[in-house]
Amino acid sequence: QVQLVEAGGGTVQSGGSLRLSCAASGNDFSRSFMAWYRQAPGKEREFVAGITHGGITTYSTSARGRFTTSRDNAKNTVYLQMNSLKLEDTAVYYCYVRSWAVYWGQGTQVTVSS
């Protein structure tokens, strides 16, 4: 059974940093595409950052320059380092893995306060 377990969410002041992690289990995801999405209250879920199995990254306009995604293929884990956080980054952040199928994590709340 495939599971994606996220960790690292919480509350941080504007300008602060957080690091999210997502550990995938139940299959070998070393060659999958892994990504982060987020959903703020009243808004649609949106792409934040993604990384291929080879380490090629892509970012949304709002994330580029502030967020960094990385992965450890041996651990089937993807990370999202978020720096210079803004109030508008407040959202539930979801891990996304695409291999033979698409899998989503349960989400972790990130709240940025003033």
Side-chain angles (χ1 to χ4, degrees):
Q1 182 180 353
V2 172
Q3 270 193 313
L4 303 182
V5 179
E6 297 154 352
T11 300
V12 63
Q13 285 193 325
S14 179
S17 299
L18 280 176
R19 188 189 193 214
L20 306 182
S21 65
C22 172
S25 61
N27 207 332
D28 178 9
F29 295 102
S30 60
R31 298 193 61 79
S32 65
F33 175 75
M34 306 180 89
W36 293 93
Y37 284 72
R38 68 186 183 187
Q39 188 166 19
K43 295 188 176 182
E44 292 187 354
R45 191 172 297 189
E46 65 175 2
F47 173 82
V48 176
I51 184 167
T52 68
H53 67 275
I56 297 173
T57 57
T58 182
Y59 298 93
S60 66
T61 301
S62 62
R64 192 174 298 117
R66 299 187 299 127
F67 295 1
T68 302
T69 190
S70 60
R71 63 190 289 168
D72 184 334
N73 288 334
K75 296 181 179 179
N76 282 339
T77 299
V78 62
Y79 304 95
L80 184 67
Q81 177 66 44
M82 303 184 292
N83 299 328
S84 302
L85 282 162
K86 305 176 181 179
L87 296 176
E88 53 264 41
D89 293 319
T90 294
V92 177
Y93 284 71
Y94 295 91
C95 176
Y96 167 100
V97 175
R98 186 182 69 227
S99 56
W100 314 115
V102 170
Y103 304 98
W104 290 93
Q106 80 284 359
T108 186
Q109 177 70 46
V110 171
T111 302
V112 183
S113 63
S114 58

